[in-house]
Amino acid sequence: MAQVAIIGVGQTPVGEHWDTSLRALAGDAIQAALADAGLRSVDALIVGNAYAPTISSQSQLGALIADYAGLTGIEALTVEAGDASGGAALRAGYLAVASGEVETALVVGVEKSTDMIGTARTRARSVSLDADYEAVHGATLAAGAALLMRRYMFEYGLELSAFEGFSINAHANGKNNANAMFRNQIKPGAFARAPMIADPVTLFDGAPDADGAAAVVLTRLERALDLVPQPVRIAASAAATDTLALHERADLLMLQAVAASTGKAYAQANTSPANIDLFELHDAFTILCALSLESAGFASRGEGWRLAAEGHINPQGRIPISTFGGLKSRGNPVGAAGVYQAVEAVLQLRGAAGANQIENARTAMIQSLGGLGSTAFTHILTIG
Amino acid sequence: MAQVAIIGVGQTPVGEHWDTSLRALAGDAIQAALADAGLRSVDALIVGNAYAPTISSQSQLGALIADYAGLTGIEALTVEAGDASGGAALRAGYLAVASGEVETALVVGVEKSTDMIGTARTRARSVSLDADYEAVHGATLAAGAALLMRRYMFEYGLELSAFEGFSINAHANGKNNANAMFRNQIKPGAFARAPMIADPVTLFDGAPDADGAAAVVLTRLERALDLVPQPVRIAASAAATDTLALHERADLLMLQAVAASTGKAYAQANTSPANIDLFELHDAFTILCALSLESAGFASRGEGWRLAAEGHINPQGRIPISTFGGLKSRGNPVGAAGVYQAVEAVLQLRGAAGANQIENARTAMIQSLGGLGSTAFTHILTIG
């Protein structure tokens, strides 16, 4: 199997782009990634998107975006796995290039959340829950996260304040990211006074829905070395699933899809948590940070929150997370989020992360989750 | 690159399954395909689906269906390319296996059209048109097909009756397919009296939206030979795109995505139209049959309709199409249609097509279209 590398990255600012269409956002990220790779075209386009059919009334994004980006005619399709759509698209692009049949693939994640607002958007987003057993009763992603968080607090005897370190770190990092949606900082104590969304999930627990697009260009590693000075190797690409409905899980506080996909990824890259220099995880809710760190082997069960409380997730810490602000501060452009993680990890590995540069970053892990851990796509990226 | 084979096929009857859920339909097709392959599980699940988010209020089908089918935990994702989603899923599964990283992949196409009825469904289906320039004005797939058909009739001086051979052949073949939705025959002359849907497209021109699921199991050819007596090789897998909006096309009557993807497929399989024993094309509308036959090289421009009028598309003809009834008579379970084509082609190549068996079928081409030719996925299957 051919080894695969990322040779170009591009992104748009994350936020509310009321005056920019879905296709234009994607086109901007694509042009930036192609320019970064020094290419004018590619052989295949893989689009990661979660909610264009329900929020933007648009499917067939593959052909639509290929045409808009001046790539009319090339092979294209869309990959969907709920909020993990970006990670899923990266995996599909990786397999296409690894097969040897597609020489150069462009993976673009794009979402236009502002095409719909308020409860209509909440409903449109709820299609990633189990429609017949959860969403039909009015469940939302935040409500599901609240169930997980309440259970975690109960099991381990914790207060809300146990989670504030995740949001404080995300905003502290996002402050230095020009593409971040919210660059304000969260002061210690403010977390506890945030408006309640779905008890105990507050406004400062959940990441904001956003518009945005990010893109990466993939090719075989052997070819990458001739094209760009700093290709980033995809050392592992792995995926696993769990139930959609929370009530079907034997153990609510172990994200089985995270555990399985990171286990496969560590094996592929012949590495372990101790060798991961940064971990861009799916911080759509603070509880997912704690559970992801535990399920991926960075903390014992019930101890994930301590990594935040004790400063280990900061850029200078043992396992830096959300180094560009994460979904929480950079913003959550849903189906694009997984590709933003890839772009940010590449910048870290290139040593181009600016004020938030992780020193001597050689190995980065990125992880995209669908629903509340129903799907997990995990990639390990290395340089040099 | 590893060669890829189909080692198991499964399908549900196509029709209106009011009492069966989306996941149950997919589960039935999966169990049939696994049984046919003699396997109990696979390494990855790829779901082809077009409209579950807008029609069934359900995304994340990968994890959902993996769990329902007893494959909880395996890698899974959904592939979408409008009505070509089934063909796109087959391509994604093919690339996954060809990469050598996924040993066995299950590709399932599923759609539940009856979760929504009437104009609501028409609107939900219109997301595969260009939302900003077509659907926003009320355009539908049938209206777009009408524009193509009117232009074709004008350019070549034809009457409606020029197209009746396509529907007559489809229903004559569907009569013998126990899984077909409409097994009635269309008598010559009845076609002209059919109710008008979008002038000049009549009820007998367009394929009926339907519920259904079909599945195929893929593995490497070298391994396939140890597992089943009659593996079918995927000799070509190719895709191409065109604009979504019809008004952006320089030439309305040449389906560029069809021409490009079949061209690539012929080259990969080292074959030509003369060597194709049957062609399961995307007969969502009779005009697409004529245009597909021309764009794929089976007829000169303006002459595709003659293949139907002169009997060349019948099972005993020069280039049999819709051999199990096609989308028109078997029914169009949208995102599953491309996988039904694969199942039917495999049955033909195995010599298991019953009354509609194509004599000495060794090479079958299948083609899945998104929108009105905006995306085309073309596969060539061979045996022995």
Side-chain angles (χ1 to χ4, degrees), chain B residues 2-262:
Chain B
Q3 295 200 65
V4 180
I6 299 175
I7 59 168
V9 299
Q11 62 180 315
T12 72
V14 176
E16 297 185 351
H17 293 286
W18 298 92
D19 53 354
T20 310
S21 68
L22 182 81
R23 69 190 81 188
L25 277 175
D28 288 351
I30 287 172
Q31 295 312 326
L34 287 175
D36 188 40
L39 295 176
R40 302 188 68 149
S41 187
V42 293
D43 302 306
L45 172 68
I46 293 111
V47 180
N49 173 268
Y51 299 112
T54 53
I55 291 183
S56 307
S57 298
Q58 183 70 68
S59 69
Q60 270 212 99
L61 294 185
L64 182 85
I65 291 171
D67 178 48
Y68 180 85
L71 307 169
T72 315
I74 68 163
E75 168 174 7
L77 53 75
T78 307
V79 170
E80 187 274 329
D83 290 24
S85 298
L90 183 59
R91 170 100 177 122
Y94 167 86
L95 289 171
V97 173
S99 77
E101 188 165 310
V102 172
E103 186 156 281
T104 318
L106 215 159
V107 176
V108 63
V110 61
E111 202 77 56
K112 190 81 198 300
S113 294
T114 55
D115 281 349
M116 198 176 266
I117 57 173
T119 53
R121 182 162 79 213
T122 303
R123 217 164 24 240
R125 292 264 272 125
S126 297
V127 299
S128 70
L129 300 174
D130 190 316
D132 296 344
Y133 296 96
E134 292 183 322
V136 70
H137 300 297
T140 62
L141 280 163
L147 293 175
L148 294 179
M149 192 168 175
R150 177 68 75 195
R151 186 79 203 172
Y152 190 90
M153 292 166 72
F154 171 80
E155 288 288 342
Y156 306 122
L158 300 171
E159 299 295 322
L160 207 54
S161 59
F163 299 89
E164 71 175 355
F166 292 113
S167 296
I168 290 171
N169 172 66
H171 280 255
N173 293 342
K175 176 171 64 78
N176 299 318
N177 177 5
N179 291 310
M181 182 172 189
F182 290 126
R183 301 176 66 184
N184 59 309
Q185 296 200 56
I186 296 179
K187 295 196 188 78
F191 186 86
R193 296 190 304 272
M196 196 59 75
I197 301 297
D199 193 358
V201 169
T202 74
L203 188 66
F204 284 5
D205 274 297
D209 287 356
D211 306 334
V216 297
V217 180
L218 309 179
T219 194
R220 291 190 307 284
L221 182 61
E222 56 185 24
R223 188 166 170 263
L225 295 163
D226 295 332
L227 293 172
V228 295
Q230 291 183 297
V232 165
R233 186 167 75 92
I234 300 181
S237 172
T241 54
D242 198 351
T243 69
L244 260 63
L246 292 180
H247 63 256
E248 287 183 10
R249 297 186 190 171
D251 182 348
L252 270 185
L253 301 183
M254 170 55 62
L255 298 178
Q256 296 292 355
V258 169
S261 70
T262 46

Side-chain angles (χ1 to χ4, degrees), chain A residues 208-240:
Chain A
D209 287 356
D211 307 333
V216 297
V217 180
L218 309 179
T219 194
R220 290 191 307 283
L221 182 61
E222 56 182 27
R223 188 164 170 265
L225 295 164
D226 295 333
L227 292 172
V228 294
Q230 291 182 296
V232 166
R233 187 166 75 91
I234 300 181
S237 171

Side-chain angles (χ1 to χ4, degrees), chain A residues 47-356:
Chain A
V47 179
N49 173 270
Y51 299 113
T54 53
I55 292 183
S56 306
S57 299
Q58 183 71 68
S59 70
Q60 270 212 98
L61 294 185
L64 183 85
I65 291 171
D67 178 47
Y68 180 84
L71 306 169
T72 316
I74 68 164
E75 169 174 7
L77 54 74
T78 307
V79 170
E80 187 275 327
D83 290 23
S85 299
L90 183 58
R91 169 97 176 124
Y94 167 86
L95 289 171
V97 172
S99 77
E101 189 166 309
V102 172
E103 186 156 282
T104 318
L106 215 158
V107 176
V108 62
V110 61
E111 203 78 55
K112 189 80 199 300
S113 293
T114 56
D115 281 351
M116 198 176 266
I117 57 173
T119 53
R121 183 162 79 212
T122 304
R123 219 167 21 243
R125 293 263 272 125
S126 297
V127 299
S128 69
L129 299 174
D130 191 314
D132 296 345
Y133 296 95
E134 291 183 324
V136 70
H137 301 296
T140 63
L141 280 162
L147 293 175
L148 293 180
M149 192 167 175
R150 178 68 75 194
R151 186 80 202 170
Y152 190 89
M153 292 165 72
F154 171 79
E155 288 288 344
Y156 305 122
L158 300 171
E159 300 296 321
L160 207 54
S161 59
F163 300 90
E164 71 175 355
F166 293 114
S167 295
I168 290 171
N169 172 66
H171 281 256
N173 292 342
K175 175 171 65 76
N176 300 318
N177 178 5
N179 291 310
M181 184 172 186
F182 291 126
R183 301 177 67 184
N184 60 308
Q185 295 199 58
I186 296 179
K187 296 196 187 77
F191 186 86
R193 297 190 300 273
M196 197 57 77
I197 301 296
D199 192 358
V201 170
T202 73
L203 189 66
F204 285 4
D205 274 299
D209 287 356
D211 307 333
V216 297
V217 180
L218 309 179
T219 194
R220 290 191 307 283
L221 182 61
E222 56 182 27
R223 188 164 170 265
L225 295 164
D226 295 333
L227 292 172
V228 294
Q230 291 182 296
V232 166
R233 187 166 75 91
I234 300 181
S237 171
T241 54
D242 198 350
T243 69
L244 260 64
L246 292 179
H247 63 256
E248 287 183 10
R249 297 186 190 171
D251 181 350
L252 270 185
L253 301 183
M254 172 53 64
L255 299 178
Q256 297 292 354
V258 169
S261 69
T262 46
K264 286 192 258 188
Y266 293 143
Q268 283 176 29
N270 192 24
T271 191
S272 68
N275 298 316
I276 303 295
D277 297 320
L278 64 131
F279 180 21
E280 293 298 337
L281 51 68
H282 191 82
D283 59 334
F285 299 98
T286 55
I287 180 63
L288 289 182
C289 296
L291 294 179
S292 293
L293 286 166
E294 294 172 22
S295 304
F298 291 96
S300 307
R301 297 194 62 168
E303 303 286 330
W305 66 277
R306 281 191 201 279
L307 292 175
E310 297 169 5
H312 300 300
I313 61 168
N314 301 342
Q316 295 76 33
R318 185 148 58 84
I319 180 64
I321 72 170
S322 309
T323 68
F324 279 79
L327 281 66
K328 177 71 193 77
S329 164
R330 177 245 290 138
N332 181 13
V334 197
V339 186
Y340 271 95
Q341 292 176 326
V343 169
E344 292 161 356
V346 166
L347 294 176
Q348 287 285 3
L349 296 173
R350 285 181 182 172
N356 295 344

Side-chain angles (χ1 to χ4, degrees), chain A residues 24-47:
Chain A
L25 278 175
D28 288 350
I30 287 172
Q31 294 313 325
L34 287 175
D36 188 40
L39 295 176
R40 303 189 66 149
S41 188
V42 292
D43 302 308
L45 172 68
I46 292 111
V47 179

